Amino acid sequence: MEKENPPLPPLQPVTLRINGKERRLELAPWTSLLDALREHLHLTGTKKGCDHGQCGACTVLVDGKRINSCLTLAMMQEDKEITTVEGLAKDGELHPVQQAFIDNDAFQCGYCTPGQICSVIGLVNEGKAKTMDDIRDLMSGNVCRCGAYVNIVKVVQEALERSEAR
């Protein structure tokens, strides 16, 4: 006789504030923020790379800080402001970091670019990067398999200079 699996827990209501809009969802308690964004809200700019927090393709901003969305549960992000790459442009104008990626040719295949962009913005918000070594260290959680690192570092430098000029 085959043993029956126990029933799954019921879906839980979750309200997330994403890119300035409240979104109400019914999610399994173990749903990652990444899966909520991609599979439930169809915000596919955030990429699923390794699903283990090692590549940075899933980086988003939560209350202005960068996080790996694959490593956090969606339910843990209630009452926080979540910003994905889709929420960076304002009034048809790219965010300055998005524009800097284009101007500096800081991407090749583009798969890691949304996570890289969010990571650069979070890095600037953190205010910890003072040297080239700091930039390289603080961006090391975002992998670019195409090797666009030299130009990505230029983008970070520009973003830091722009933030200091404010």
Side-chain angles (χ1 to χ4, degrees), residues 101-136:
F101 264 77
I102 294 168
D103 295 344
N104 287 286
D105 196 26
F107 57 93
Q108 288 181 34
C109 80
Y111 194 84
C112 71
T113 305
Q116 297 275 4
I117 289 169
C118 288
S119 194
V120 170
I121 294 167
L123 179 146
V124 170
N125 292 344
E126 291 165 11
K128 295 177 184 174
K130 306 295 182 209
T131 67
M132 291 292 287
D133 285 340
D134 291 342
I135 292 170
R136 287 185 192 102

Side-chain angles (χ1 to χ4, degrees), residues 19 44-46 59-60 83-89 98 113-115 117-118:
N19 300 328
T44 57
T46 305
T59 304
V60 298
T83 305
T84 68
V85 72
E86 292 94 342
L88 295 174
Q98 289 173 305
T113 305
I117 289 169
C118 288

Side-chain angles (χ1 to χ4, degrees), residues 23 29 32 37 50-51 63 71 74 80 89 93-94 96-98 102 115 120 127 139 142 145 147 157 161 165:
R23 307 296 295 266
S32 70
L37 293 171
C50 67
D51 214 18
D63 292 338
L71 293 181
K80 297 178 182 174
E93 292 286 320
L94 292 177
V97 172
Q98 289 173 305
I102 294 168
V120 170
M139 289 296 294
N142 290 83
R145 288 177 176 87
Q157 288 174 303
E161 288 168 9

Side-chain angles (χ1 to χ4, degrees), residues 7 39 92 94 118 146 158:
E39 296 175 21
L94 292 177
C118 288
C146 300
E158 277 186 26

Side-chain angles (χ1 to χ4, degrees), residues 5-19:
N5 290 331
L8 293 173
L11 298 179
Q12 302 292 313
V14 181
T15 302
L16 300 173
R17 185 160 181 78
I18 301 169
N19 300 328

